[in-house]
Amino acid sequence: MVPHMLLSASATLTPLTSTNQWCKFFPVTTATTHGRNSNKLPSFFRTSQSRKFSLNASSSSEGNGVAHQKSDGETIPPSSFSWPDNKKPRVCILGAGFGGLYTALRLESLVWPDDKKPQVLLIDQSDRFVFKPMLYELLSGEVDKWEIAPRFTDLLATSSVQFFQDRVKLLRPSDHLGMNSSTAPNSGGVVHLESGLHIEYDWLVLALGAEAKLDLVPGAMDFAIPFSTLEDACKVDAKLKELERKKFGTDSPVRVAIVGCGYAGVELAATVSERLQDKGIVQAINFETTICPAAPPGNREAALKVLSSRNVQLLLGYYVSCIRKEEKNEALEKLLEITGDSDDAAKQPNSEQLIVELQPAERSLKSQILEVDLVLWTVGSKPVVPPLDSGNQPLMFPINGRGQAETDETLRVKGHPRIFAIGDSAALRDSAGRILPATAQVAFQQADFAGWNLWAAINNRPLLPFRFQNLGEMLTLGRSDAAISPSFIDGLTLDGPIGHTARKIAYLLRLPTDEHRIKVGISWLAKSAIDSIASFQTNLAKTLSG
C-alpha cells in the first residue's frame, strides 16, 4: 500500500489557493434512484445478486466466445450476457476498487439525455468494496468489517449500476486503430470471464488495481503475509489472535517482522505495536536508511516519534535475502514423526519459528538473522491487466515494464479510443514525464475524470486532460494517533488526536455513498461516546481509589 490521499479533487482544473476552499475537499456523489427489482443468475456462473440480467446460452462460439472443458472432457459452450437495452451505450468496468466503483458512481451522478444514459456493468472478483486506507483499523478493533468493506449489492441498491461477481479471463478489444471487427462492427470489444460468460461492450474501463508481489525473495511466498486486501487483514488478525493466545501467561513475547517502511509498513508497525504493547516485539525492515522517504517531513517526524515511544525496532539499510522455517525445529519434527511422537511436535514452543535473513545495503552494517513468529510483507506489487486473446492478431496493447497500460492524458489506452485505464492498471505521466504514483488519491481523481470523459465521448464532446492535484498525505499511527499534512499550507502537520480525528472525518466523507456514509458516521459517533464514558469511569475509579 502506498501514501494515502486526503480527498479527491473534482473534475474541474481549478487549483486550490486558500484554506477557504477546504470545503471543496468533500464532494458528495448523488446517485439517481432507480427500481430495486433483482433477479438471480444461475449458480453455474458463481455470481452475486444483480439487477436486469439475462443470459443467452449459445451452442456455438458465436460472438467470439470461449469454450470451456468439463472434468469429463465435455465442451461447454460460452454464454452471452444480454444487456437490458440494445440501443443505449454499454459501459463495462473491470475492477470495483477506488477507481472502478467511483467511476460508476460518477457516471450515475451526471445528467444524461434519455437515449444516451449508459448501461453500466461493474465486475469484480470480490463481493465487497474495500476502503483500503482503513484496513489497519480492523487490526486495532477501531472499525467493524461492514464499515470499511460494505457489499456492492448494498452500495448499489438505489442505483442503476449492475454488479457481477466474477474474474476476468481475457479481453478481445475491437477498437484498436486500423482494424475493424467482422463479427461486431459496432462493438468496442468483448470481455471473457472465468465463468464462461462473455460480455460485449461499447466502452471499457480497466481498474483492476494491483496485487502483492511475493516472488522477490526466497520463502516470502510460503511464509510472509501481505497486507493489501481484506482477506490479508483478516488473516493477519487471526494469526495475531492465535499468537496472543499461545503466548498468554508466558515470558515469551510475540515477535513480528514487518518488511518495508513505506506508508503501509509504518502504519502496520504502529498499529501492531500498539496492539501487542509490552507483550510483543515489532521489528521494521527497510532498504532505505529512513522511513517513508517520499513523505512530508512532518509526517515522517510524527511517525518516528510514535514508533520510538512504542519501542519498535527499526532495521534501516537492510534488505531481506531469505525467509525460512527454523531448521532445528524442522529436524525435531521429523525425528518426532519417525519415533511416533508427532503429536508432541505441535507442543514445541518454537515449532513455527521463522528465520529472516538480512543483508546490509550499507557498507557500515553487518548481516543479521531474526527469529520471529510472524512476517508481514508491504513491499512490491504488480498491476493487474487482463491478457488479450492471442487469436486476435495483429493486436497492439501498450504495456510498460511495470505491466501497466500506457494511456494518453485523457486516460484512454493508447491506440484504443474506447478503453480507459485508471488507478494501478494505468501508466499516466505527469508534465515532468514521471509516472503518477499508484495511490488512492490518484485513483479517486482519475475516477472523476474517467466518468466525465466517458460522458464526453458518448455525447461527442471534447475530453478533458487529466491533471493530478496533490492534496496532501495522511497516515494512521494507532487508535488515537495519526499525521496529516495538507498540501495547501506548507509545513503544517496535524498529529496526535487532532490528526486522528481529521483523518477519520476526511475518510468518512469519502466513503462511496450517502447512505453508507450516514450509517458509518452514526456507528463511529456511538463508539466514540462509549469510549468516552468508559474512559471517564476509569479515571473516576482511579481518583476514588487514591
Side-chain angles (χ1 to χ4, degrees):
M1 202 167 295
V2 284
H4 304 321
M5 81 302 162
L6 276 177
L7 293 162
S8 169
S10 66
T12 61
L13 300 179
T14 305
L16 299 174
T17 57
S18 71
T19 55
N20 292 334
Q21 292 176 298
W22 175 260
C23 60
K24 294 184 179 180
F25 282 174
F26 309 109
V28 177
T29 303
T30 304
T32 306
T33 303
H34 296 271
R36 294 174 179 260
N37 295 333
S38 62
N39 298 317
K40 289 187 177 180
L41 294 172
S43 59
F44 168 78
F45 296 105
R46 299 180 286 107
T47 61
S48 64
Q49 216 175 45
S50 52
R51 294 178 304 283
K52 303 180 182 177
F53 277 170
S54 61
L55 300 172
N56 293 331
S58 172
S59 60
S60 66
S61 58
E62 180 182 2
N64 298 326
V66 177
H68 293 257
Q69 294 286 333
K70 282 185 178 179
S71 58
D72 57 4
E74 180 183 352
T75 300
I76 303 174
S79 300
S80 300
F81 171 71
S82 293
W83 295 85
D85 192 330
N86 292 328
K87 295 182 180 180
K88 291 185 177 181
R90 303 165 297 181
V91 177
C92 185
I93 302 177
L94 305 182
F98 293 120
L101 176 63
Y102 283 69
T103 297
L105 295 176
R106 176 62 169 155
L107 289 171
E108 276 287 298
S109 69
L110 296 172
V111 178
W112 296 86
D114 291 339
D115 59 338
K116 292 291 184 68
K117 181 175 175 60
Q119 306 160 91
V120 180
L121 177 61
L122 188 64
I123 300 172
D124 197 273
Q125 65 185 12
S126 174
D127 66 336
R128 293 176 180 269
F129 166 73
V130 182
F131 201 91
K132 290 187 176 182
M134 299 198 74
L135 281 177
Y136 310 95
E137 277 82 344
L138 278 181
L139 298 185
S140 65
E142 193 173 351
V143 301
D144 295 322
K145 183 178 177 180
W146 69 269
E147 294 172 342
I148 64 165
R151 296 185 184 278
F152 289 112
T153 50
D154 295 331
L155 290 177
L156 302 174
T158 58
S159 75
S160 64
V161 177
Q162 302 172 80
F163 174 70
F164 199 88
Q165 185 182 354
D166 209 330
R167 290 177 179 266
V168 180
K169 183 176 183 180
L170 56 85
L171 299 180
R172 186 189 286 267
S174 57
D175 66 338
H176 39 294
L177 303 180
M179 183 175 180
N180 295 319
S181 171
S182 59
T183 58
N186 297 322
S187 168
V190 178
V191 175
H192 300 289
L193 304 180
E194 286 190 356
S195 63
L197 187 70
H198 68 262
I199 300 170
E200 192 174 359
Y201 64 84
D202 297 315
W203 305 90
L204 183 71
V205 179
L206 292 178
L208 290 170
E211 58 188 17
K213 188 174 178 62
L214 293 173
D215 56 357
L216 300 173
V217 172
M221 188 83 67
D222 299 320
F223 303 116
I225 303 178
F227 196 83
S228 60
T229 67
L230 177 63
E231 291 73 19
D232 293 337
C234 292
K235 188 174 182 180
V236 172
D237 183 52
K239 185 64 177 177
L240 286 173
K241 288 179 180 177
E242 176 189 337
L243 291 170
E244 287 167 336
R245 287 194 300 266
K246 181 179 178 181
K247 305 275 185 163
F248 180 77
T250 69
D251 295 331
S252 178
V254 177
R255 290 181 169 270
V256 180
I258 298 175
V259 183
C261 288
Y263 265 74
V266 168
E267 291 177 298
L268 201 52
T271 302
V272 173
S273 61
E274 182 184 49
R275 171 171 171 165
L276 297 177
Q277 296 184 5
D278 57 351
K279 298 177 183 178
I281 297 176
V282 177
Q283 297 169 302
I285 306 157
N286 200 37
F287 182 83
E288 303 281 349
T289 57
T290 184
I291 66 170
C292 301
N299 279 12
R300 190 183 308 114
E301 292 171 6
L304 283 170
K305 180 180 178 181
V306 169
L307 295 181
S308 176
S309 67
R310 295 178 188 164
N311 297 320
V312 175
Q313 299 177 12
L314 296 177
L315 300 172
L316 305 178
Y318 287 95
Y319 66 90
V320 178
S321 61
C322 178
I323 304 174
R324 56 183 174 82
K325 212 172 184 181
E326 193 169 23
E327 294 179 0
K328 62 180 181 181
N329 292 313
E330 288 182 342
L332 177 61
E333 289 174 7
K334 291 180 181 179
L335 178 61
L336 291 171
E337 185 177 2
I338 293 173
T339 59
D341 296 327
S342 57
D343 292 340
D344 293 338
K347 300 178 183 179
Q348 298 299 319
N350 295 323
S351 60
E352 296 181 359
Q353 201 81 13
L354 299 175
I355 300 297
V356 181
E357 298 182 6
L358 304 183
Q359 296 297 327
E362 301 287 331
R363 290 184 179 181
S364 59
L365 302 175
K366 295 181 179 180
S367 59
Q368 293 195 41
I369 294 180
L370 309 180
E371 294 185 4
V372 299
D373 301 298
L374 177 63
V375 179
L376 304 180
W377 193 269
T378 68
V379 295
S381 64
K382 50 185 176 181
V384 179
V385 175
L388 303 179
D389 186 358
S390 58
N392 194 11
Q393 297 291 341
L395 188 60
M396 298 298 294
F397 202 79
I399 301 292
N400 68 1
R402 301 180 182 179
Q404 299 167 304
E406 292 277 3
T407 68
D408 61 21
E409 61 180 5
T410 66
L411 304 178
R412 290 186 297 185
V413 175
K414 293 180 179 179
H416 291 268
R418 288 180 175 264
I419 301 179
F420 291 80
I422 58 178
D424 297 346
S425 300
L428 180 64
R429 300 181 184 275
D430 59 19
S431 57
R434 296 183 299 266
I435 295 179
L436 291 175
T439 65
Q441 183 177 180
V442 171
F444 275 126
Q445 295 185 28
Q446 286 181 336
D448 199 23
F449 274 76
W452 174 263
N453 281 344
L454 278 166
W455 181 94
I458 292 172
N459 289 282
N460 297 316
R461 301 292 182 87
L463 276 62
L464 289 176
F466 176 74
R467 295 291 182 268
F468 173 62
Q469 295 181 359
N470 183 11
L471 302 178
E473 297 178 5
M474 302 188 292
L475 75 163
T476 180
L477 298 171
R479 290 184 64 92
S480 60
D481 261 310
I484 173 172
S485 296
S487 62
F488 55 85
I489 302 179
D490 291 338
L492 174 65
T493 298
L494 303 176
D495 59 359
I498 295 177
H500 179 265
T501 302
R503 176 179 175 274
K504 289 196 72 172
I505 292 175
Y507 282 154
L508 174 65
L509 295 173
R510 284 308 301 145
L511 291 175
T513 65
D514 294 339
E515 294 83 356
H516 188 63
R517 225 173 273 133
I518 292 172
K519 291 178 183 177
V520 173
I522 293 173
S523 176
W524 287 359
L525 283 174
K527 289 177 183 177
S528 179
I530 293 172
D531 289 343
S532 298
I533 294 173
S535 178
F536 173 76
Q537 290 176 335
T538 300
N539 292 332
L540 181 61
K542 289 180 179 180
T543 302
L544 295 177
S545 64

